[in-house]
Amino acid sequence: MSGTSDAPAHPYAVLAAQRLLPVLRNADADEAVRAATRLLAAGCRAVELTTSTPGWAGAVARTAGLADVHGRRALIGVGTVTTAVQAEAALDAGAAFLVSPYPAPGVREVAGRRGAVFIEGGFTPAEIASAVRAAGAAKVFPAHVGGPRFVRSLRAVLPDAVLVPTGGIRPGEVPAWIAAGATAVGIGDGLPADPAELAALFTDLVGGPGSGAPGERGPEVRAGVGPAVQGAVQGAVQGAVRAGVQAVVGPADQAVEAREQRP
């Protein structure tokens, strides 16, 4: 991906526009790099790698400088960050944001000291409100326990919060969570493997009603565009993504294969 845009973008705004945050838990760093690269080629801009992947810091360093299919600089976050040591390592590797599954005071301290974006996890209203007071955002985990109605209740008392429910949610369920008040939804399983299907998923989510952060929701003229035009646009986007996948993923796969063949 060439033509990277260096325009600043806050992770919260990107998540609000993207609506879906892929959470990658891979067997090794090379697999994580390949998965992240494919997501970027499919139209995703923010991707969360996790500390559960062996060699995760190296994977972050290898993907932090990439761009998405539109030439925008990728935002590679690190999830399952629970200690100050992990937080420091993630930021040193180039992480654009940190995510924890539950309250993590050590990570909060590092994020505050280094001016980093930290989406702290919580489940109870008190934990979620504490995270929001500290940084404006919270990861609601495990989200499937409370369901969309739980997020709707949280939104009623935290109207300006960035809420990212994660855990047990399938891609097809994302619209229901967004309608309930989620800013974006973390997805760890069930993302399509086919590049065109993956591209269509992001196109549908970004183009749906209410997408984007306040002030970044895009032209309202979408509502007046006919189905035929929308279909043509989506087809063109998917075609471009297929080409982007080959242009970006091919070199990445070759680099990984070369590494694996070294004695």
Side-chain angles (χ1 to χ4, degrees):
M1 291 175 199
S2 59
T4 304
S5 171
D6 291 319
H10 196 284
Y12 294 172
V14 173
L15 289 178
Q18 185 170 294
R19 294 184 156 199
L20 188 157
L21 174 62
V23 181
L24 302 182
R25 299 183 182 278
N26 301 105
D28 56 50
D30 287 341
E31 185 178 311
V33 171
R34 283 193 289 260
T37 303
R38 285 182 170 85
L39 285 163
L40 294 173
C44 180
R45 186 178 185 185
V47 179
E48 179 184 329
L49 278 61
T50 59
T51 63
S52 59
T53 297
W56 62 268
V60 174
R62 290 161 60 188
T63 53
L66 297 179
D68 70 2
V69 72
H70 305 295
R72 302 170 301 184
R73 184 170 297 280
L75 297 182
I76 304 299
V78 179
T80 320
V81 178
T82 59
T83 69
V85 172
Q86 290 174 332
E88 297 278 11
L91 295 175
D92 289 344
F97 58 95
L98 308 174
V99 185
S100 72
Y102 47 74
V107 179
R108 187 186 288 194
E109 187 278 327
V110 171
R113 174 164 46 81
R114 297 187 57 168
V117 174
F118 176 35
I119 304 175
E120 191 170 12
F123 180 72
T124 69
E127 291 173 342
I128 294 167
S130 176
V132 170
R133 282 196 298 269
K139 171 180 176 176
V140 182
F141 180 82
H144 68 90
V145 177
R149 292 179 65 185
F150 181 49
V151 170
R152 191 181 301 278
S153 296
L154 292 171
R155 176 61 67 197
V157 295
L158 298 168
D160 300 319
V162 172
L163 299 177
V164 186
T166 308
I169 303 174
R170 306 292 290 180
E173 300 168 343
V174 170
W177 289 86
I178 297 296
T183 304
V185 178
I187 299 288
D189 297 304
L191 291 174
D194 179 74
E197 292 181 11
L198 194 58
L201 174 63
F202 284 107
T203 300
D204 290 344
L205 290 174
V206 170
S211 61
E216 291 195 358
R217 296 187 186 278
E220 276 68 28
V221 295
R222 283 184 181 274
V225 176
V229 175
Q230 292 182 13
V233 171
Q234 181 166 320
V237 170
Q238 292 181 18
V241 169
R242 290 191 189 95
V245 168
Q246 294 302 318
V248 177
V249 176
D253 284 343
Q254 292 172 9
V256 171
E257 290 172 2
R259 186 177 296 102
E260 292 173 346
Q261 293 172 3
R262 291 175 185 169

